[in-house]
Amino acid sequence: MRLHNREVRQDVRELGTLLGDILEEQTSRQAFETVESCRQAAIDYRAGELDSRESLITELEGLSPHQQRIVARAFTTYFELINLAEERERVRSIRTDSQEDALADSLETAAAELGDEDIETVRQVLEDVLIEPTFTAHPTEARRKTVKSKLRSIATALETFDERLLTDKEKRQVWKDVDSEVTSLWQTPQVRNRQPEPEDEARNVQWYLQNTLFDVVGEIYDEFADAIDEEVAGDLDIPKLFEFRSWAGSDRDGNPYVTPEVTAKTLERQRSVILERYREQLKRLSGVLSQDGSRIDTGPAFQAGLEADRERLPGSAETAAERYPDEPYRQKLKLMRERLDRVGDVRPGGYDDAEELRSDLTVIASSLRDNGAESVVDAHVDPIRRQVATFSFSLASLDLRDHQQKHTDAIAEALEAEGVDYHGLSEDERVELLTDAILQDEPVIDLTATADLSDDSARVLRLFDRLADWQTEYGVEAIDTYCISMTEEPSHVLEVLFLADQSGVISLPEHCGIDIVPLLETEYALSGARRIMGSLFENEAYAQALEARGRTQEIMLGYSDSNKENGFLAANWSLYKNQRRLGEICDDHDVTMRLFHGRGGSISRGGGPMNEALLALPNSTVTGQVKFTEQGEAIAEKYANPRIAERNIEQMLNAQLRARLYAEDQPEEEVREEWVDAMETMADVARREYRDLLESNGFVQYFEQATPITVIEDLDLGSRPASRSGERTVEDLRAIPWVFSWTQSRCILPGWYAIATGIDAYLDDGGDVETLQEMYESWPFFRTTLDNAALSLSRTEPEIAAQYAELADEELREQFFPRLLDEYERAADLITQIGQREQLHTRDWLGENLERRNPYVDPLNLLQTYLLDRSHRTDIEERTLRLTVKGIAAGMKNTG
């Protein structure tokens, strides 16, 4: 059976040709020939037909600023289009493998593994699993919203060509639309002319939830239910397995622009968006449920619900009866839509919460089943019930977040008016004061008394003052989590509990309306996990809050800053060890742990295939509940296309179900002591080597000179500043621009540096390659770590990185670049040897991808280095430089 009409080479060829035609039409024949000459020179060098890149470099440097800008725009636009072609190829692969029953990590394979277990085990695994993708506003998306909109239109046209049978006339019309969009894309500014605001970022996240995930989730549940019915003997209800969350519009860490007003608008918009989607679904359902009431018995439960709605909304009930005589389901659905219209309205009769809506749908489903309409329920009612369970009335629950120092300072300033020198107290004294304050009935501070406070402290108190109102208006589940960045002491968690207590969000021991989530990201915090969490679990006030939250503790692990502080290998080992340690601490205190993985899009920030990451977690930490961040360009890559979004969610669910099943069978992962010793040796030496690099005199200057960091800081990628205090230090710089800068220069050292030094130290200490090969073969953590490093190494281009190194002062270049190059070459050799393969990466598609892309990224890199080297750039050169950053990001399909 032929599923598709095209292949990726055809898409690439035709889009490239179209772009060339538009380039010539919109500029000149000379401009077209210039771009072609650069393109061919880059290809010829990669193919070995040229001995050096000198001719390409000479041509680029000899162009006028206007011509350079055209070249940058041409290659940037090319990558935007080729990315769509490769996205289409991913969809082809998914559909083909699905048709041939060859999809790895599918819902069917997960159901088959569950089918080997008794039904009670299956039921328990399903009840345990809850997957919470959490969308952040972290600024790594380099494309403008306008550009993304045009690209989606082109993607839709490619889908039409590929999956529909078209007449020649229809093909010409679709291609005419593509021509129009690409022309418009060429004429559209690629670089933002203003910094995005937090509300822009919130709307961006909402788009994916509203337009892709809302529909995809229902399909996933439906497919999984079918797979379970096929494999598991017995009657099973599929519980809620997913919940989406967001930081966009609520993450205050380092972003002064995320005000309480921004959060309030985000809550209102999200509720408005999801209610409109439910109205659409109920309207569609009304078109299906046209049953004649005189021929069926809807049952007492349905009739009671309909009568209650008639009493609640008499005017609307009369209208419904006139419009739908003898059609009880349609009458009910009309009144349900009216109740949705009144959510948050001054008029009475609206739903109090999403559970009431779900209850109505459940009653309709039962009534239909009693009338022999099981297929109607399966196809039309159950998907909506699952959407309501997943998205509630909030679309995505908001997590609040801020830096621990902000809470400390706000409390200190507020308590100063009460005669308490909070800053002067020891840690034990702070814990005692906060505990007593939380447990006493009378408030200690007035959250509204902010006139004499600093702006930052006033903002903190104002937020907590509004929190209780938000929970009253939108429901506790709409905004019920508070994450504390840089948590290092128990008092940092108790400070948030204290502020929540003062706002009325908690009333112990009966009620706690918020989960407080420590973010452990520094080595001090991670190694002190027992000191922090053990103290909290034994604290009288916190123990009551924990009890009120069902004895579930969410703990966030910071991958980005841990990597920036310790280096790739040491950070991964520290995170692995400390996850196990946290699991032990929670077990010791009879607490269910939910790990929140603060993963970025890039390998060095915890990125990589999510399903592999979930399966590589220590068994003792897999409680079933898992949460992780989705951010930047990874959101568009995973969730813009519905079929790819469905596949990503399918793989997540497959991995988490299997991981939970393995953890049930074997709660403690068996890791041989000699493997642990090997990792300790490698990680310790790797960390020292990495820290020595960062702390070497002149390294910060080298980083500043040999990467485009100064350009990236001014790119208007997101609403949040690039550094925490504006100081020029690696520690102060945020992890995203740190990784982004190295990625641009094609020396992706955050993803591999010091791994070779660590492995060599183990071998020099008496270790052997055979043991490392055995670790790679049998230990998912070690295999995933090396494979992820291999991906970063594969994307590193030493020759291009050398061009960036030439930008640095000669003394700095000679001090650092040979050191980086030596580490790269040794790491590449060692990983291929340990993995017992000839090439670095294990994915054939990556090799094809790099071969297709590298020759087109090279001219952008060379043009960027030329412009970076100019001490005085004109306005047009400055814009071209910024455009090369966008183009390289598109070509690398990665920023930070």
Side-chain angles (χ1 to χ4, degrees):
M1 178 182 178
R2 184 178 174 85
L3 294 176
H4 305 104
N5 304 316
R6 298 164 68 89
E7 59 180 22
V8 68
R9 289 183 180 85
Q10 181 181 1
D11 287 336
V12 169
R13 184 178 65 252
E14 292 183 2
L15 287 170
T17 300
L18 174 61
L19 177 60
D21 292 343
I22 289 171
L23 167 63
E24 182 175 354
E25 177 186 298
Q26 295 292 314
T27 55
S28 65
R29 180 67 188 178
Q30 181 185 10
F32 169 78
E33 290 176 349
T34 297
V35 171
E36 276 295 292
S37 175
C38 293
R39 183 181 75 89
Q40 196 59 52
I43 292 173
D44 288 347
Y45 175 76
R46 288 278 181 172
E49 296 177 14
L50 289 177
D51 293 333
S52 76
R53 290 190 171 96
E54 281 307 312
S55 61
L56 174 58
I57 293 171
T58 300
E59 180 165 13
L60 288 169
E61 293 181 356
L63 299 175
S64 70
H66 177 69
Q67 291 171 320
Q68 289 174 342
R69 183 161 176 77
I70 290 173
V71 168
R73 172 170 286 279
F75 283 104
T76 298
T77 306
Y78 173 81
F79 281 123
E80 298 284 19
L81 297 176
I82 296 324
N83 287 345
L84 297 181
E86 292 186 350
E87 176 186 273
R88 176 100 300 262
E89 182 67 4
R90 287 176 67 192
V91 172
R92 287 189 194 103
S93 177
I94 291 167
R95 297 182 77 232
T96 300
D97 288 349
S98 177
Q99 176 67 17
E100 296 173 357
D101 198 23
L103 270 182
D105 309 321
S106 67
L107 299 177
E108 287 76 13
T109 57
E113 286 201 38
L114 291 171
D116 293 334
E117 308 293 328
D118 63 85
I119 191 166
E120 287 307 316
T121 298
V122 176
R123 182 175 284 112
Q124 187 60 57
V125 168
L126 294 179
E127 288 293 339
D128 289 345
V129 166
L130 180 65
I131 302 170
E132 301 183 72
T134 302
F135 296 91
T136 80
H138 287 353
T140 64
E141 172 58 84
R143 291 175 297 183
R144 295 179 61 212
K145 182 179 178 181
T146 301
V147 170
K148 289 192 291 185
S149 175
K150 296 179 184 303
L151 293 173
R152 289 265 53 88
S153 296
I154 299 168
T156 301
L158 292 180
E159 178 182 336
T160 301
F161 277 130
D162 197 31
E163 296 184 16
R164 285 180 53 193
L165 290 176
L166 302 174
T167 66
D168 290 342
K169 182 178 180 180
E170 288 169 337
K171 288 178 184 177
R172 287 193 297 272
Q173 185 57 54
V174 175
W175 192 250
K176 188 176 179 181
D177 292 339
V178 173
D179 190 325
S180 166
E181 285 290 1
V182 176
T183 300
S184 178
L185 180 66
W186 176 263
Q187 296 176 340
T188 298
Q190 286 274 352
V191 180
R192 291 188 181 100
N193 56 17
R194 69 173 180 86
Q195 187 175 22
E197 297 175 357
E199 289 178 63
D200 298 325
E201 295 166 336
R203 279 191 288 268
N204 180 57
V205 166
Q206 288 160 11
W207 188 92
Y208 295 102
L209 291 161
Q210 174 186 0
N211 293 290
T212 303
L213 289 167
F214 182 83
D215 296 314
V216 163
V217 161
E219 295 169 11
I220 286 286
Y221 275 112
D222 189 43
E223 291 172 17
F224 184 56
D226 289 345
I228 287 292
D229 286 345
E230 185 74 23
E231 298 288 348
V232 179
D235 189 23
L236 276 174
D237 285 330
I238 305 299
K240 175 172 145 180
L241 300 169
F242 294 96
E243 181 178 296
F244 295 95
R245 306 189 70 91
S246 175
W247 284 8
S250 59
D251 176 12
R252 286 157 173 72
D253 182 20
N255 193 338
Y257 308 114
V258 181
T259 63
E261 290 71 31
V262 167
T263 303
K265 289 178 181 177
T266 302
L267 287 165
E268 174 56 37
R269 178 176 172 80
Q270 290 191 170
R271 183 171 68 180
S272 175
V273 163
I274 194 60
L275 291 178
E276 182 56 36
R277 287 308 318 260
Y278 291 150
R279 289 188 199 99
E280 293 169 2
Q281 292 290 73
L282 295 185
K283 183 69 175 175
R284 182 186 59 78
L285 187 58
S286 183
V288 174
L289 302 188
S290 55
Q291 284 83 349
D292 184 346
S294 66
R295 298 172 57 190
I296 61 172
D297 179 6
T298 56
F302 177 87
Q303 280 302 127
L306 181 57
E307 287 302 323
D309 281 351
R310 285 169 175 165
E311 292 178 13
R312 189 180 285 115
L313 305 166
S316 298
E318 186 176 337
T319 302
E322 291 173 358
R323 182 176 299 178
Y324 305 116
D326 296 324
E327 293 179 304
Y329 295 128
R330 285 182 162 178
Q331 289 183 31
K332 175 67 175 176
L333 290 166
K334 176 71 172 69
L335 296 176
M336 289 167 66
R337 296 200 302 275
E338 178 63 29
R339 294 192 69 186
L340 284 174
D341 287 340
R342 297 186 181 208
V343 172
D345 200 318
V346 294
R347 297 172 297 168
Y351 284 110
D352 289 332
D353 54 42
E355 191 52 42
E356 285 190 353
L357 172 61
R358 191 160 178 265
S359 177
D360 272 351
L361 289 165
T362 300
V363 170
I364 291 173
S366 297
S367 176
L368 287 167
R369 285 194 176 97
D370 290 343
N371 283 282
E374 183 81 29
S375 61
V376 175
V377 174
D378 290 345
H380 299 287
V381 183
D382 278 352
I384 306 176
R385 291 171 61 208
R386 287 163 178 156
Q387 286 167 331
V388 174
T390 302
F391 297 97
S392 190
F393 279 174
S394 54
L395 184 64
S397 300
L398 292 187
D399 284 11
L400 295 161
R401 185 172 79 127
D402 210 338
H403 194 285
Q404 56 87 5
Q405 192 62 49
K406 293 293 195 302
H407 311 129
T408 301
D409 291 343
I411 290 172
E413 289 185 39
L415 286 177
E416 188 177 1
E418 306 299 327
V420 178
D421 178 15
Y422 187 73
H423 275 314
L425 300 180
S426 67
E427 171 62 18
D428 288 344
E429 289 170 334
R430 289 184 184 186
V431 167
E432 183 180 1
L433 183 148
L434 293 168
T435 303
D436 291 343
I438 293 164
L439 292 175
Q440 77 175 38
D441 293 333
E442 293 300 315
V444 176
I445 61 174
D446 181 357
L447 296 178
T448 64
T450 60
D452 297 328
L453 304 185
S454 65
D455 289 344
D456 282 350
S457 294
R459 191 179 296 117
V460 169
L461 296 196
R462 204 160 59 242
L463 166 70
F464 279 94
D465 184 46
R466 296 288 300 278
L467 181 54
D469 294 335
W470 291 333
Q471 290 196 344
T472 299
E473 183 171 358
Y474 298 101
V476 171
E477 74 280 354
I479 184 164
D480 65 348
T481 298
Y482 200 110
C483 184
I484 309 165
S485 299
M486 290 293 172
T487 300
E488 295 192 329
E489 302 292 349
S491 65
H492 296 159
V493 176
L494 292 175
E495 285 167 353
V496 172
L497 188 65
F498 166 73
L499 290 168
D501 173 71
Q502 301 301 291
S503 73
V505 169
I506 71 172
S507 178
L508 300 179
E510 295 85 8
H511 174 70
C512 182
I514 194 163
D515 281 327
I516 301 176
V517 183
L519 169 48
L520 308 180
E521 45 198 326
T522 65
E523 185 61 29
Y524 175 73
L526 288 165
S527 61
R530 183 168 290 277
R531 170 180 56 83
I532 297 169
M533 300 313 304
S535 297
L536 288 170
F537 294 155
E538 293 167 9
N539 178 273
E540 184 181 357
Y542 196 79
Q544 290 185 21
L546 192 61
E547 195 69 40
R549 298 297 290 180
R551 298 196 65 76
T552 296
Q553 175 66 55
E554 185 174 306
I555 302 170
M556 186 173 184
L557 300 173
Y559 286 68
S560 301
D561 283 293
S562 178
N563 181 291
K564 187 160 70 74
E565 180 188 13
N566 302 296
F568 178 78
L569 186 64
N572 274 275
W573 179 236
S574 176
L575 287 163
Y576 179 87
K577 283 194 306 180
N578 285 294
Q579 286 177 63
R580 296 185 68 173
R581 183 180 300 163
L582 287 166
E584 292 169 2
I585 297 166
C586 289
D587 283 346
D588 290 346
H589 291 84
D590 192 28
V591 171
T592 298
M593 179 175 67
R594 176 169 59 238
L595 281 179
F596 183 3
H597 302 275
R599 294 160 48 94
S602 58
I603 295 297
S604 49
R605 296 184 52 243
M610 177 57 70
N611 54 318
E612 294 178 12
L614 292 173
L615 286 167
L617 295 175
N619 284 6
S620 59
T621 71
V622 182
T623 62
Q625 299 185 37
V626 67
K627 189 173 174 181
F628 46 85
T629 52
E630 299 277 30
Q631 51 187 274
E633 75 283 345
I635 295 177
E637 187 173 340
K638 290 182 179 181
Y639 300 110
N641 183 291
R643 286 201 179 100
I644 293 174
E646 183 177 355
R647 176 63 176 148
N648 270 289
I649 294 174
E650 176 182 46
Q651 289 181 298
M652 289 176 202
L653 181 56
N654 171 288
Q656 190 63 5
L657 287 167
R658 291 164 57 204
R660 181 57 188 150
L661 183 59
Y662 302 160
E664 282 277 293
D665 291 342
Q666 187 179 327
E668 283 297 327
E669 184 181 22
E670 293 182 7
V671 180
R672 283 163 43 183
E673 188 173 340
E674 65 176 311
W675 295 358
V676 173
D677 291 342
M679 278 305 309
E680 287 287 356
T681 299
M682 289 187 285
D684 184 55
V685 174
R687 183 181 189 277
R688 290 204 302 270
E689 167 63 20
Y690 176 81
R691 292 305 311 173
D692 183 70
L693 175 71
L694 264 60
E695 293 164 6
S696 294
N697 187 38
F699 179 73
V700 172
Q701 288 80 4
Y702 176 78
F703 169 63
E704 192 168 34
Q705 293 174 15
T707 76
I709 178 59
T710 55
V711 182
I712 287 168
E713 286 178 315
D714 294 328
L715 264 184
D716 293 337
L717 288 182
S719 65
R720 191 172 74 165
S723 66
R724 290 182 167 90
S725 68
E727 297 179 7
R728 172 60 76 228
T729 64
V730 173
E731 286 75 18
D732 183 70
L733 190 70
R734 293 192 179 280
I736 293 168
W738 164 253
V739 176
F740 196 172
S741 300
W742 290 113
T743 303
Q744 286 277 306
S745 67
R746 311 294 290 281
C747 181
I748 313 176
L749 73 84
W752 50 259
Y753 189 79
I755 197 168
T757 298
I759 293 172
D760 281 340
Y762 163 74
L763 296 174
D764 292 343
D765 194 40
D768 57 82
V769 171
E770 289 74 22
T771 298
L772 296 175
Q773 289 172 340
E774 189 178 1
M775 290 165 63
Y776 181 85
E777 184 69 27
S778 305
W779 191 10
F781 159 75
F782 189 66
R783 182 172 59 253
T784 300
T785 300
L786 287 199
D787 284 350
N788 283 340
L791 289 175
S792 291
L793 287 161
S794 297
R795 291 185 168 108
T796 294
E797 287 288 327
E799 286 189 34
I800 294 295
Q803 294 290 136
Y804 284 85
E806 288 294 323
L807 298 173
D809 295 340
E810 183 177 1
E811 183 179 345
L812 293 174
R813 179 173 65 252
E814 293 304 316
Q815 180 183 356
F816 292 109
F817 187 68
R819 181 175 178 178
L820 302 182
L821 184 60
D822 178 63
E823 187 73 28
Y824 163 82
E825 291 174 344
R826 287 163 43 232
D829 288 342
L830 286 166
I831 288 178
T832 51
Q833 188 179 359
I834 293 167
Q836 302 181 74
R837 54 183 185 257
E838 295 182 0
Q839 59 186 16
L840 270 169
H841 56 81
T842 60
R843 296 167 171 83
D844 292 339
W845 62 264
L846 179 61
E848 296 173 8
N849 182 293
L850 294 173
E851 185 178 343
R852 183 160 48 237
R853 288 168 175 279
N854 278 338
Y856 293 82
V857 183
D858 294 349
L860 288 169
N861 283 120
L862 297 174
L863 180 55
Q864 186 179 92
T865 54
Y866 167 73
L867 293 170
L868 285 170
D869 197 36
R870 292 180 65 82
S871 56
H872 299 290
R873 291 186 289 268
T874 64
D875 287 345
I876 189 171
E877 287 175 327
E878 198 67 51
R879 290 197 298 273
T880 301
L881 178 57
R882 290 156 65 90
L883 185 56
T884 63
V885 174
K886 305 281 184 156
I888 294 167
M892 297 289 288
K893 295 185 77 172
N894 196 264
T895 53

